[in-house]
Amino acid sequence: MRFSLLGSGSKGNAVYIEGGGSAILIDAGFSGKELEMRMQGIERSLAGVAGIFLTHEHDDHICGAGVVSRRYKIPLHANAGTLRGGERRLGRPHKVHEFATGDEILCGGLKVRSFPVSHDTLDPVGFIVSDGRHRLGYCTDTGKVTHLIERRLGGCEALIVEFNHNLDMLRNGPYPLPLQQRVRSVTGHLSNEQGAEALARLIADHLQVAVLAHLSETNNTPALARGAALAAVAEWGDTALVIAEQHRPLELIELRL
Ligand SMILES: [Zn+2]
Ligand SMILES: [Zn+2]
């Protein structure tokens, strides 16, 4: 399995994953043009993408999904809540496959299973993607890490976990109080400390790479996110620590056999 975060943060999110002879995107929160460029950046094309799986209807996750679905005839996969919440933005996609949260969906050689997260949208989810050899877990845009989330993320070879904000920067930053409260709430975003606590419980020998994602450009820095992860996890073993960026895609990461 190989994957890349094409970009991550409140200005846009998309993850490219290939394995088992197929490729998918999780979310498509950039314009069609921007997604095309970022795919070129990792030497891939949207023409090779067999499905787009949507986590929730916020614009930074779906704004390019409808356009790209029509342009490249890519089916969209989402639950009823996300489809309803994103109706206007998605327009009329090429094809829509509605799933129920928790269902396992086969997309070519990749198996994709959703799980509920805690966020202020109609039915937000994270995903586990498997190619039969490796499992990748994606979990951002959640205000807390529930037991179910932790159970689903356990056993993955690659984890993408939200490290949204540093609490002091959020408190002392420019966000008005109601917005601060929204970000910090159980249906908001994970702080560095929350992300790090989850990672500390999930770290294991089989975990090859942990990606810190959805960092706020206002209320966080890569150094603070990394510092929180390093402080919480005592034994990294062979696990690589990677920080996703907002403005450029990560080089493709390949999981070892
Ligand atoms: Zn988001
Ligand atoms: Zn969101």
Side-chain angles (χ1 to χ4, degrees), residues 32-238:
K33 268 229 168 82
E34 187 69 33
L35 281 166
E36 284 167 0
M37 266 172 37
R38 289 179 185 237
M39 287 290 282
Q40 270 175 29
I42 59 163
E43 297 174 337
R44 295 293 186 276
S45 161
L46 288 166
V49 171
I52 300 174
F53 290 77
L54 301 177
T55 57
H56 66 295
E57 65 269 28
H58 281 157
D59 225 34
D60 58 321
H61 296 261
I62 69 162
C63 74
V67 177
V68 161
S69 165
R70 286 185 288 278
R71 195 175 294 164
Y72 292 90
K73 303 202 180 344
I74 308 172
L76 295 188
H77 299 262
N79 61 30
T82 297
L83 289 171
R84 184 150 44 90
E87 204 170 6
R88 264 210 213 138
R89 186 52 130 164
L90 295 173
R92 203 180 282 215
H94 163 64
K95 242 187 216 169
V96 173
H97 293 298
E98 185 180 311
F99 62 73
T101 298
D103 281 358
E104 193 167 76
I105 297 136
L106 209 55
C107 190
L110 291 171
K111 250 192 250 166
V112 184
R113 187 178 185 190
S114 58
F115 56 86
V117 298
S118 178
H119 197 53
D120 52 0
T121 52
L122 294 179
D123 192 1
V125 298
F127 290 110
I128 301 294
V129 182
S130 160
D131 66 354
R133 283 198 173 131
H134 294 120
R135 282 159 34 103
L136 172 148
Y138 180 84
C139 181
T140 70
D141 297 74
T142 187
K144 61 178 176 186
V145 179
T146 61
H147 289 299
L148 177 64
I149 293 178
E150 223 170 280
R151 239 195 358 257
R152 291 285 175 270
L153 296 180
C156 287
E157 280 78 23
L159 283 180
I160 299 166
V161 179
E162 172 161 58
F163 275 59
N164 179 258
H165 55 276
N166 169 275
L167 269 177
D168 289 332
M169 279 186 80
L170 180 66
R171 263 196 218 105
N172 302 316
Y175 279 19
L177 194 59
L179 183 53
Q180 287 186 30
Q181 284 165 341
R182 192 230 134 205
V183 170
R184 292 182 53 172
S185 78
V186 290
T187 55
H189 293 277
L190 293 182
S191 67
N192 289 346
E193 286 67 28
Q194 287 174 296
E197 267 171 36
L199 205 52
R201 288 192 297 267
L202 289 164
I203 200 105
D205 285 345
H206 54 259
L207 183 62
Q208 296 184 27
V209 55
V211 182
L212 316 188
H214 215 299
L215 272 66
S216 167
E217 291 187 294
T218 310
N219 304 310
N220 208 355
T221 67
L224 284 170
R226 179 186 296 274
L230 291 178
V233 178
E235 287 291 333
W236 282 86
D238 291 330

